[in-house]
Amino acid sequence: MDDIHYLECKILLRPERFFDPHQFEVYWHKLGLIAPEFKVGVTTNKDGFKRQVREVLFYDTPDYDLYRNAFILRKRTFYTDGWPEPEHELTLKFRHPDLAVAAAVDVVPHLSGHADIKFKEELLPLKDSLGGMRSLYSHNCVLLSPGLVLNEGLERITTVFPELAEHCPADKAATISLVNNLPVEEVQVNVGSFDFGHGLTAKATIAVWRDRATESAIIGEFAFQAKFDRYDALHAKARERAEAFFKAAQTRAPEWVKLGATKTALVYNFGKQLVASHEG
């Protein structure tokens, strides 16, 4: 089994809260008032409210075979001063509530070039109440500008990611296309960091996803992520402090929190009935 090297905590935020850019600062200020109660150090980056824009596209078969089998195929394009960067980021993610199941899926691609493999535990609020948490385990492969044309179909994708053929029982002749024809515009601030003590620090971001066609907000998100060498070496008190702060961020600012889904689930269910998945 691969070892987990990332702990990422995520809280979805109500899209209507982001009615102007200043709201990033408003929410961060609220978090800054909560953190000291739990002896969590807060650092705001010098350019922490500089807004970065990315286009996020999800691809799947017409029957959503990837997502129904716990896979996510995502392309991200970064923008600088309104112009797309020449390189993009392609991610294949297997996300599941069972640690052993997630660890057993090999996302290493059969493709030349560097692949960044990341195994994460993602902590999310409970689906129906504030102040709790649940875990999803995410096995990711991130490729930078791979020579892979996504609309060539599932058969071509499975030659690059053979695990898809084993774990995704779908017609290999199936086409791959943009999910719900929905291009997402992500506006994110890399706002700062938290120090939970005992060497555990986490980078914090706040983001809002918008429908690029209408510029209407779909969802917001607050997240903080820590990286470490060994999962079993995480200091117990530091993790407890991170979890307590994560729960308090939900209960102390309830008017900001959106329960019940993930960002990916919202894209898949955009204007449609619920699509079954393993996201819990």
Side-chain angles (χ1 to χ4, degrees), residues 13-215:
L13 305 175
R14 295 184 177 275
E16 63 269 20
R17 303 297 306 191
F18 293 92
F19 52 83
D20 69 40
H22 182 59
Q23 293 303 102
F24 290 107
E25 297 176 62
V26 171
Y27 184 65
W28 184 246
H29 177 69
K30 285 182 174 288
L31 296 172
L33 297 176
I34 298 169
E37 299 180 37
F38 298 89
K39 298 181 180 179
V40 175
V42 182
T43 300
T44 303
N45 292 336
K46 182 179 180 181
D47 57 350
F49 296 101
K50 180 181 180 180
R51 294 178 293 280
Q52 300 180 349
V53 178
R54 299 185 287 192
E55 181 182 60
V56 184
L57 307 176
F58 292 88
Y59 289 88
D60 209 327
T61 68
D63 293 328
Y64 301 152
D65 292 296
L66 299 183
Y67 188 59
R68 293 181 190 277
N69 288 281
F71 287 96
I72 297 166
L73 184 62
R74 182 186 69 202
K75 178 183 176 183
R76 272 181 172 158
T77 301
F78 298 82
Y79 282 72
T80 302
D81 296 329
W83 293 93
E85 294 285 342
E87 294 184 325
H88 66 269
E89 180 186 273
L90 182 68
T91 300
L92 179 73
K93 177 183 297 190
F94 182 85
R95 186 159 61 186
H96 200 281
D98 188 299
L99 170 60
V101 172
V105 175
D106 182 5
V107 294
V108 175
H110 288 195
L111 194 69
S112 61
H114 176 69
D116 194 4
I117 308 299
K118 299 180 178 180
F119 195 17
K120 302 180 181 182
E121 180 182 6
E122 299 181 6
L123 293 183
L124 310 175
L126 299 176
K127 297 190 74 172
D128 56 2
S129 61
L130 296 169
M133 62 184 190
R134 59 193 177 97
S135 291
L136 288 175
Y137 299 94
S138 178
H139 218 158
N140 304 348
C141 173
V142 182
L143 300 169
L144 192 61
S145 295
L148 182 62
V149 180
L150 293 176
N151 61 7
E152 287 182 341
L154 186 58
E155 184 174 9
R156 169 60 176 150
I157 303 295
T158 57
T159 63
V160 176
F161 297 104
E163 289 288 281
L164 280 176
E166 181 176 346
H167 296 279
C168 183
D171 181 3
K172 299 304 180 288
T175 58
I176 296 286
S177 60
L178 183 62
V179 172
N180 276 329
N181 198 30
L182 178 63
V184 173
E185 179 184 74
E186 179 183 56
V187 182
Q188 176 174 294
V189 292
N190 298 324
V191 62
S193 61
F194 299 112
D195 186 344
F196 300 106
H198 304 282
L200 185 64
T201 61
K203 296 179 180 178
T205 61
I206 305 170
V208 60
W209 280 20
R210 298 195 295 231
D211 178 353
R212 184 177 281 278
T214 64
E215 291 296 333

